Amino acid sequence: MIASATALNLDPQNLLGLVGKIRVLTKEKKFTLAQTVLEGTHQLYPRERVFQILQGILHYRQSAYKDAEIAFRKAIELDPRSSSAYSALNAALLRQDRQDEALQVLQQGLQIHPHWELYGNLGTSLFAKADYLGAVEAFKKAVSSNTGNPGAYLLWANLADAQRWVPAQAAASKDSYQRAITLLTPIVKRMPGNATLHSRMALYRAYIGDKTEAMARLEQALAISSDVADVQFRAALTQELIGNHKEALDALLKAAKLGYPINLIESAPDLLDLRRDSRYQQFIINIQRDRKI
């Protein structure tokens, strides 16, 4: 934020300074201020796709997925070779339970510009459709030293998630989770106040059977931010893997109430037992009833 402020003091229209300022404001959940800055950039830089992507991210962080979709599509119009725009649009479509369209977007992006980010999203889309073998192959390309980004912890974790559901790959999943943990550890040390990072570390620890460290990380994540849907969703997964069914269900219901997409809950294989619980089923009935009113 200091670097952005310095740049903007010297030049209030500095592109990189504006990008940095918007990213920081969005990360700090100062959404109104971020939107104000963005509105100015749309006038200053009407053909700059990065501001459309930032606009979409701002909407996405507020669970306004349709608005995010519109912004990401605009970014692609401005720069059809932007892998980030295709990846972001794919995520926004998945959150709207439009899986077929999400896959089409990825295929379009990969034809124009093969990129590890798109392979990662392809794996996520295939995983949501229970095509675990296809997901493994996509994630392997995403972490490959030739075609991917082997230094990204999240890609290794995604690969591990898919490997767990392919019998021949189950043993390899532990190694992939450990690789993710190794890459994530220094990041958590640099950003100790980040609930998302702690919740992810908790989940990865749970997957390798380290219950004590998983709970320690989860407690830290919830102490920092218990009102974030994604954090509560990972809390549900972590608690369920550890064997704390009641706590897992409580976290899952909180995640859903905070806006975590029901279609992503329904497609998570680790949550099958929770979805069979009467409390969860009643919750879904209530949602369906409310939508009809």
Side-chain angles (χ1 to χ4, degrees), residues 5 47 55 60 77 96 136 146 178 190 203 232 243 281:
R47 302 295 301 172
Q55 179 70 77
Y60 189 95
E77 289 178 11
Q96 297 176 71
V136 166
N146 295 323
Q178 191 59 60
R190 291 198 305 269
L203 182 56
Q232 286 291 353
Q281 292 179 357

Side-chain angles (χ1 to χ4, degrees), residues 53 72 75-77 79-93 102 104-110 112-113 117-118 121:
I53 292 177
F72 294 142
I76 291 173
E77 289 178 11
D79 183 4
R81 292 186 58 81
S82 173
S83 58
S84 295
Y86 288 104
S87 178
L89 176 56
N90 166 263
L93 290 170
Q104 289 173 2
V105 165
L106 289 179
Q107 291 166 352
Q108 180 184 358
L110 286 168
I112 295 174
H113 183 207
E117 193 172 13
L118 297 179
N121 281 60

Side-chain angles (χ1 to χ4, degrees), residues 240-254:
E240 183 70 357
L241 289 166
I242 290 174
N244 300 333
H245 182 83
K246 179 183 180 301
E247 291 80 359
L249 183 58
D250 289 341
L252 186 62
L253 295 179
K254 288 178 183 177

Side-chain angles (χ1 to χ4, degrees), residues 65-82:
Y65 301 122
K66 182 61 180 178
D67 291 334
E69 175 193 345
I70 292 171
F72 294 142
R73 288 191 185 279
K74 179 63 175 178
I76 291 173
E77 289 178 11
L78 294 173
D79 183 4
R81 292 186 58 81
S82 173

